Amino acid sequence: MARSNKNLSVYDRKTIPNAKTLRFGIVVSEWNPEITENLYKGAEAALLDCGAIPGNILRWNVPGSFELTFGCKKMIQQNNPDAVIAMGSVIRGETKHFDFVCSATAQGIKDLNVISDTPVIFCVLTDDNLQQAKDRSGGKFGNKGTEAAIAAIKMALL
């Protein structure tokens, strides 16, 4: 593990630009909802803490992580947000399905960042087991949703 026992979700609000004028899209996978709902809550709380207006945070749900790329693309086309956060959770199973979904999702989000002027933040947990996902969605390693929100603010103003 690259960041053993470190909570990376703690941020200094004074160093984060004010998000009052920004519009955010958050596309959330419905698969592993215990995890993705916690990611969403972390992101929403951080955006609001940094000045985002509740009405400027738009949420869409998609069936799974594989569908995040299309959901983010449509969010950009239809709502023109300043940044989009793609949230999902893929937990390794007994087949290679995990590898295909993780790879396709990462590549899809990367492709959106290459072809679009709207930053798309990758907030997809790719864990070996449920406990690792819990640890990264509000557990001992913080909340990757919080980290994604801070990244979205910074990238929107880049």
Side-chain angles (χ1 to χ4, degrees), residues 108-121:
I109 300 304
K110 181 269 300 174
D111 289 347
L112 289 176
N113 279 299
V114 171
I115 64 172
S116 171
D117 288 331
T118 302
V120 180
I121 308 303

Side-chain angles (χ1 to χ4, degrees), residues 34 47 67 109-110 115 129 137 150 158:
E34 173 185 6
L47 291 172
E67 291 78 25
I109 300 304
K110 181 269 300 174
I115 64 172
N129 57 59
S137 61
I150 301 304
L158 188 64

Side-chain angles (χ1 to χ4, degrees), residues 45-123:
L47 291 172
L48 294 172
D49 183 51
C50 292
I53 296 168
N56 285 346
I57 302 171
L58 177 63
R59 174 186 173 149
W60 283 4
N61 290 342
V62 295
S65 291
F66 190 84
E67 291 78 25
L68 286 169
T69 301
F70 185 78
C72 291
K73 179 180 89 168
K74 296 302 281 185
M75 173 76 74
I76 292 167
Q77 291 172 345
Q78 294 180 14
N79 294 286
N80 195 31
D82 295 295
V84 175
I85 303 171
M87 294 189 159
S89 172
V90 186
I91 299 173
R92 187 177 299 278
E94 297 176 0
T95 68
K96 294 182 73 76
H97 183 73
F98 172 88
D99 299 319
F100 298 126
V101 171
C102 293
S103 180
T105 303
Q107 290 297 320
I109 300 304
K110 181 269 300 174
D111 289 347
L112 289 176
N113 279 299
V114 171
I115 64 172
S116 171
D117 288 331
T118 302
V120 180
I121 308 303
F122 186 82
C123 183

